[in-house]
Every structure is written in C-alpha cells, then in structure tokens.
Amino acid sequence: MTPIATANSRSRTLVRLAALLSITALAAGLAGCASQPMAEDPMTAMTVDMPPPPAATFAHPPGLRVNAPTPDPRVGLAPGLFDAEEAIWNLRMLSTTPPTELFVGRTNSDLAFTGNYAIQGNYDGVQVWDISDPANPTSTITYRCPASQSDVSVYDNLLFVSGEGLGGRLDCGDQGIQEAVSHDRLRGIRIFDISDISNPEYVANVQTCRGSHTHTVLKHPADDENVYIYVSGSSRVRPPEELPGCSGLSPEEDPNSALFRIEVIRVPLADPGAAAIVSSPRIFQDLVAPPTHGLSPADIEEIEAARAAGAIIGYRGGTPRVLRPGMVAPMLDSVVAARGGEGEPTAADRAALQAALDEQGRMQAERAAQEADEPGPGPTQCHDITVYPAIGLAGGACGGYGLLLDINDPANPTRLAAVADSNFSYWHSATFNNDGTTIMFTDEWGGGGAPKCRASDPMEWGANAIFTIEDGEMVFQSYYKMPAPQTSLENCVAHNGSLIPIPGRDIMIQGWYQGGISLIDWTDPANPVEIAFHDRGPSDGTRQGSGGSWSVYWYNGVIVNSEISRGLDIFELVPSDVITQNEIDAANSVHLTQLNSQGQPIFEWPATFALARAYLDQLERWHGMTAPEIAGARDALAAAESAPSSVRRDGLNSLADMLSEQAAGAADPDKAAKLVDAVRRLAAEG
C-alpha cells in the first residue's frame, strides 16, 4: 500500500468513527488530520535530549531533559527540628504531622499500610495513623513496645514487627534488660492481631538467633493457608543459654551455625500462634568478601581536621574514624590506670592512646591487604529482602552483595545470581520495576548515621545501582544519587522507597535520610533522572542531629514519608513538564487494600480514559506516534467519553482498530500497542 493510500484509509476510518459518535464537526476535523503536515511538538525543547530514533531502533524513551530549579533550592536550607526551611519541586505537601507525645525524641522507622491506615514503626513501638483525610492525619493508637528497630508489615488482620535490640522484652515492658542472658528478651518477630486496629492484640512471637533487623512477608500465590516471613538479622548471635540451638561458630565448625543464613518463618493463617521457623536457607554459600572502597576526600578532610582539634581517631579494618567521647573515656581511664595515675587524663595520656590506636590501625591495614589477596567469606546475613511474588523472584540486599533469588518454593528460596561492586559499601534494599525486567539496589554507605552527600563525595558511592535482569543474570546499567550536595550536619544516603504506578514508566519515590525525598524516573535504566523532590534543612544547626526520611512510599494516590524525628509527611504528585495530569490520574486509579514495600505488588490498571490518555501523553512526549495521529486519537477519546454507552462502544472499537493499524508503523510500537489495549478495554467496559 502506498503512503497516500494509507493516509486516505486512516482518514476514512476516522470519519466512520466520528459518524458513530454522531459528531459532525469532529468528523471534518479528523478526516483532514491524517494528510496534514506534522506540527512541531511544543514539548520537544524541554523534555527530550535527542530527536526520536527510527522505529526499527526504538528501545526505551530517551532520557528526559528536566527543567530542574537552578540554583538548587535544597542547598543552604536553614536548620531546625520542627521549623527547618524547606524546598519542594513537582510535589505538593498535603500535611506534616509531628509525632505523638510518647514518641517525641524517639526514632521512627518503616511503614506499612492497611485500609485507611499507615502503620509507622518506632524504636519504642508502633504508631497507627488514620490517613483517610491525608490533609489531616489523626493518631489511632500509639502502642509502646520497645525493640529496635520495629520494622512493620501487615497481612489481612495480622501485624508483624521486628525486634533486634538487646533491651526488647517479651512483655513489651520499657524497663529494658540488663542481664547478658535473659529469658525475658525478645529478639525476632512479634505477631499482633489488628482486627481492631485501635487495640492490637499480641498473639505470638518467634525468637531467632540474631533477632530481626528487618523482615519480609511473602504471600505465595500457590499457598492460601500460610504466609511466610523472611527474617534478616544483623546483630550478634545470642548465647545458646538464652535460646537453645544458637551458634556463632562458622558453618565448617558447626553445620547448624546461625551465620551465613536467613530464617524462614511459616505463619498458619488459621492459627498464627503456631508460627515457627521452618527453614534456614544458606543463600550465601561460596560467596567471598567483596571489593570495597576507602574514604572519600570529604571523610579524609574531616578526620584530619578532627585529629588536629584533639579528637581521638580509632580504626575499623584499618580505616580511620572519629571516636565518640563515650567510647574514648573508658580507653583513657585504662591508660591512666596502666601508669598508676589518678584523676583526669593528661595530654600525654591522650597521645599514648592515640599512638596505640594508630599502631592498631596499621596492623589492621596490613591484615586487610593480606586478606585482599585471599578474600575471606562473604556476607553472613541480608539487610533486606524484597519479594515479588507475581514473578517468583526476590532481590536480596545483603551487605556486600546484591542477590537475585528464586522464591517459587517459598520455604526454600535459592540464589540465582549475585553481584558485587567496589563502589558499594552496604547493599541495603531492593526494588523491581513493575514488569520484573530491572532491579534497583540501594547503598547505605555509612550505615545511615554519617553524612555521605557532601559536595566532594563521589556520586557513585552511597547511591543506587540499576541492573537489568537478563537470562537469570543481573547486568549493570547505571548509578543514581540524589544530586543536591548536603552538609556535614546531615546524614544523607540512599534508603527506602517504592514504585509509583504511572503506566508505561518506571517511577520511584525514595528516602535519603536528611537528603530528603527524591522522585526518580528510571524507565531507561541507563539514564535515571530526578523529576521531583522535597528536602528540609538540618535538624540541628550545631551538630549532626537526628532526622530525615527513613522510608517513603506511594499508597492509593498519596506519598507517605516516615520522618525519623519529625513525624509523618504526606504528599501528592502535581502535573509538570515531565508528568501529566493524565499520568497522575491513571496512577491514582490503582487501589491497594494493603502494602508492604518489601512484598512488592504488581500494578494493574483498570480501564479508564485517563489510562488511554496517559499513553497518548507519553507517545507525544517521546514522539512515539505522529502529532496528527495523537491529536485525532485525543479528539476521538473526548467524543467517546461524552457519547451514550452504545455509541461509545462501537466508536472505541473503531478507534482501537485504527490505532492498531498505526501501531505497526509507529516509532514506539510497544507503547502504541499499550494504547490499543487500553482503548479496547474501555470499549469492553461499555
């Protein structure tokens, strides 16, 4: 068929469609549009780096050219705990709610969601917020039950809470535990019945040898009788006198060692009190210690400045670090006692201590160099595991490695692939894209307690790493780091986030502690870009204080941020040059009844006009179809939306037929096919 014949055929199709919709004016306009010259796209200059590639080579949308504010307003924000200066771009803050009185000054941790409630972990327990009115969240209950770090997950009427700290008690008491061995200690998973969410009922706990730093709830599609919990415990192994069977020996010395394994707990839904460990998979087998990096220029400068000011410098693995006064005091007391002295330590005592520590650091560095030639064993535990039941995979962020796991047998996950990276310090968490073809890992360089977004810190350190999943292997694509430099008073490093269900794109909101929150488009895994943010100034202007985003997740149209010290923030997306109102409306058509970010749901979009229009917006943004084709489809959708249902169905089916013809020659045939599917589903809805 010649190009002229094709154009005439499309014109006739559009005329028939308009006739079905009984809109004469639309028919005239659409009939001519297929033969009109392509109009210049007004979005080209601000959103696209390059002209569209030919259809044969189209793979991903080209990188966005984002009109970010210049200079970056996040730089130089004034400090304050509840009155810090703020910067926001492409987001709208709906509310910020301080912690309830009981939790003021205590550390807020992770979030889970059920119904209209956001459940916020806290090192002293759990806070439940009613967010049915996101502009005015209200406290449903502040439940005191100390046991750091109180990561939370939900399934139906069950709430699961992690406990790892040595002071957590089985009875939720706040008096702590002083004894080295105690049968009152809780280190593992607490299980609550939240049928009445305002009055949680503590129904069971499962003790583990290393406690639960984090955990992951897995509801396997083939098992409706149980849920599974993958436990990641990073603390030291408790003594067998406290929990029989616990061993801190190497697996070679003791095959039942609590090291180099995770725990899998099975929770019978009919009897959650019978929850128990059913397996301890050794998913780290044969991994060796990964490559590491040293200090950044900013670290070295700060350490040398601290040394010059009289601070005591210690070492870990040969790497220097400034010791806190509480750590130094007993060391100096020992130096004084060793020389038979009394009273306050002298300058000579401090010099002697520093000399001894420097020698210790030298020996550690020599040992590390020797071990580099013969690397030791790899990680003994994961920090966090994200399961994606819909695709049968999990991503394990496991200290020195990122793992890809097969979870088709939920009680016995197995390792498919492992990646290490000398730019990464501590693999912290993982997120898949919605179709399971790409995975993003975060690096919690500095452990979350150190400033790692200073101007001279490498952008590859403390960042995200993005991999495509190809034939069961992970293939590196790029790094992403929140781009605004932060001060030495702000602990800034990659932390927890989640996908936002904008169809046809991979969009993730992520917390960066005192770096704030950052919205990332990683649709093109080789070219991630920031498209929105919110940040506050340091929580304290004189020293590094506590604060920042522990985790931030999308849930049913809002973005909820767990602020470590300041409480709860709720945001929403706003249309911009990189996200349209149609894309936002399509995202907000997705409704979840519950959400655990580490139990990643698959997003499925209902048939809406917003969904079809969102795909059209994307086809326009990246020149996936011609401007006349897009304009004609938009006019036809508008006519169909206002037409009677009987006419609408026929008109939408005709539009889908026409778009299907156009998709074959489109610059982005895959996105055009998604548009066709969205229109056909609309037609089926009537």
Side-chain angles (χ1 to χ4, degrees):
M1 181 178 292
T2 66
I4 294 176
T6 300
N8 290 338
S9 174
R10 290 176 182 172
S11 296
R12 288 194 297 272
T13 299
L14 291 167
V15 171
R16 288 198 303 271
L17 172 57
L20 284 167
L21 296 172
S22 302
I23 301 177
T24 306
L26 178 62
L30 292 179
C33 76
S35 59
Q36 293 172 358
M38 181 174 177
E40 181 180 355
D41 184 348
M43 296 186 71
T44 300
M46 60 181 172
T47 62
V48 182
D49 281 331
M50 58 192 75
T57 62
F58 193 98
H60 291 282
L64 292 172
R65 179 182 297 158
V66 179
N67 292 328
T70 303
D72 197 307
R74 290 170 286 185
V75 177
L77 293 172
L81 185 55
F82 294 110
D83 59 351
E85 191 177 4
E86 301 183 35
I88 191 167
W89 173 58
N90 285 349
L91 295 170
R92 179 182 295 116
M93 177 177 276
L94 299 177
S95 61
T96 180
T97 308
T100 57
E101 184 177 356
L102 196 60
F103 283 175
V104 171
R106 312 306 296 170
T107 299
N108 293 317
S109 58
D110 215 350
L111 294 167
F113 301 87
T114 183
N116 291 325
Y117 300 98
I119 303 173
Q120 184 178 37
N122 181 283
Y123 275 42
D124 270 7
V126 174
Q127 174 69 54
V128 179
W129 301 99
D130 183 336
I131 60 170
S132 53
D133 178 3
N136 184 34
T138 57
S139 172
T140 300
I141 185 173
T142 303
Y143 188 91
R144 189 171 177 83
C145 187
S148 67
Q149 57 189 14
S150 297
D151 272 18
V152 289
S153 293
V154 291
Y155 185 79
D156 281 351
N157 64 324
L158 297 177
L159 168 66
F160 307 99
V161 184
S162 284
E164 185 180 55
L166 299 179
R169 297 180 59 89
L170 290 171
D171 60 7
C172 283
D174 61 4
Q175 66 269 41
I177 294 175
Q178 305 305 318
E179 299 84 3
V181 175
S182 173
H183 296 292
D184 295 324
R185 180 173 284 127
L186 180 285
R187 296 180 68 200
I189 298 292
R190 302 187 196 270
I191 304 175
F192 296 86
D193 186 319
I194 54 170
S195 298
D196 178 1
I197 200 166
S198 65
N199 185 29
E201 179 186 354
Y202 190 0
V203 297
N205 66 76
V206 181
Q207 299 269 33
T208 65
C209 289
R210 301 183 70 180
S212 173
H213 191 70
T214 69
H215 71 270
T216 303
V217 172
L218 167 60
K219 170 59 178 68
H220 195 271
D223 186 348
D224 291 330
E225 297 181 355
N226 307 283
V227 294
Y228 297 84
I229 302 175
Y230 292 174
V231 179
S232 298
S234 57
S235 186
R236 67 175 184 264
V237 178
R238 66 204 302 181
E241 295 82 6
E242 184 170 283
L243 186 63
C246 293
S247 168
L249 298 174
S250 69
E252 290 76 18
E253 297 173 287
D254 183 352
N256 296 316
S257 171
L259 304 177
F260 300 97
R261 74 184 194 193
I262 63 171
E263 275 78 38
V264 177
I265 296 172
R266 182 164 55 213
V267 183
L269 295 175
D271 183 13
I277 296 172
V278 294
S279 67
S280 299
R282 297 197 179 279
I283 58 175
F284 312 105
Q285 186 175 353
D286 302 327
L287 294 178
V288 298
T292 59
H293 62 69
L295 298 174
S296 74
D299 288 328
I300 295 171
E301 290 172 7
E302 290 188 1
I303 287 172
E304 291 307 313
R307 185 191 291 270
I312 298 296
I313 309 301
Y315 296 84
R316 177 181 293 167
T319 300
R321 59 190 180 122
V322 180
L323 299 182
R324 295 186 177 93
M327 298 176 65
V328 172
M331 294 181 185
L332 286 172
D333 290 344
S334 297
V335 173
V336 173
R339 65 174 173 79
E342 295 181 356
E344 294 296 317
T346 65
D349 293 329
R350 295 183 66 87
L353 173 60
Q354 187 61 72
L357 291 173
D358 288 342
E359 176 61 18
Q360 184 182 73
R362 184 190 64 78
M363 295 173 63
Q364 290 177 1
E366 288 181 355
R367 186 161 56 249
Q370 294 171 356
E371 292 172 352
D373 296 331
E374 298 181 6
T380 70
Q381 185 57 267
C382 284
H383 178 276
D384 214 334
I385 299 172
T386 294
V387 295
Y388 197 175
I391 62 173
L393 295 177
C398 303
Y401 281 84
L403 306 184
L404 187 66
L405 306 175
D406 182 329
I407 58 170
N408 286 295
D409 179 354
N412 297 286
T414 58
R415 189 178 86 229
L416 297 174
V419 288
D421 184 342
S422 62
N423 283 321
F424 259 46
S425 175
Y426 192 77
W427 298 69
H428 179 274
S429 54
T431 302
F432 292 91
N433 69 341
N434 196 57
D435 64 11
T437 58
T438 309
I439 187 169
M440 178 189 290
F441 291 97
T442 70
D443 175 17
E444 194 186 35
W445 175 34
K452 299 298 182 183
C453 300
R454 298 156 297 188
S456 59
D457 286 325
M459 292 299 287
E460 298 83 5
W461 295 7
N464 301 333
I466 303 172
F467 298 81
T468 51
I469 300 172
E470 303 175 18
D471 298 323
E473 298 292 332
M474 292 181 284
V475 180
F476 174 77
Q477 298 296 319
S478 64
Y479 298 106
Y480 171 83
K481 187 173 184 178
M482 189 279 295
Q486 304 287 293
T487 71
S488 60
L489 300 178
E490 296 169 285
N491 54 313
C492 171
V493 72
H495 217 233
N496 295 342
S498 76
L499 294 183
I500 295 180
I502 293 177
R505 298 173 69 181
D506 298 332
I507 306 289
M508 177 175 167
I509 190 74
Q510 183 181 7
W512 291 77
Y513 287 122
Q514 288 201 69
I517 66 174
S518 178
L519 187 67
I520 311 161
D521 185 322
W522 51 304
T523 309
D524 179 355
N527 295 286
V529 61
E530 183 178 57
I531 57 176
F533 59 69
H534 173 264
D535 190 18
R536 291 182 171 96
S539 61
D540 190 312
T542 61
R543 61 181 180 86
Q544 184 180 299
S546 176
S549 175
W550 181 287
S551 56
V552 58
Y553 304 130
W554 181 95
Y555 182 68
N556 293 343
V558 294
I559 295 167
V560 185
N561 178 45
S562 178
E563 224 288 347
I564 291 170
S565 296
R566 296 168 171 125
L568 196 78
D569 300 321
I570 302 183
F571 303 86
E572 66 179 2
L573 293 173
V574 295
S576 66
D577 58 346
V578 289
I579 297 180
T580 67
Q581 187 64 55
N582 290 319
E583 290 176 301
I584 295 170
D585 291 344
N588 293 349
S589 72
V590 175
H591 182 79
L592 305 174
T593 57
Q594 294 187 323
L595 174 66
N596 304 309
S597 179
Q598 291 80 13
Q600 191 169 326
I602 187 168
F603 291 136
E604 297 176 329
W605 291 266
T608 63
F609 281 91
L611 178 64
R613 289 179 174 126
Y615 288 136
L616 279 170
D617 291 347
Q618 293 168 11
L619 286 162
E620 179 180 54
R621 180 183 294 123
W622 285 293
H623 301 284
M625 291 171 57
T626 68
E629 290 169 341
I630 291 168
R634 281 180 173 149
D635 288 343
L637 282 173
E641 189 171 21
S642 60
S645 59
S646 58
V647 176
R648 178 187 303 148
R649 183 183 302 109
D650 291 341
L652 288 172
N653 278 322
S654 295
L655 173 60
D657 291 341
M658 182 270 293
L659 290 172
S660 183
E661 293 179 13
Q662 295 172 348
D668 186 353
D670 292 338
K671 185 62 63 64
K674 291 181 183 294
L675 171 62
V676 172
D677 179 69
V679 173
R680 289 205 188 281
R681 289 171 56 207
L682 269 176
E685 293 283 328

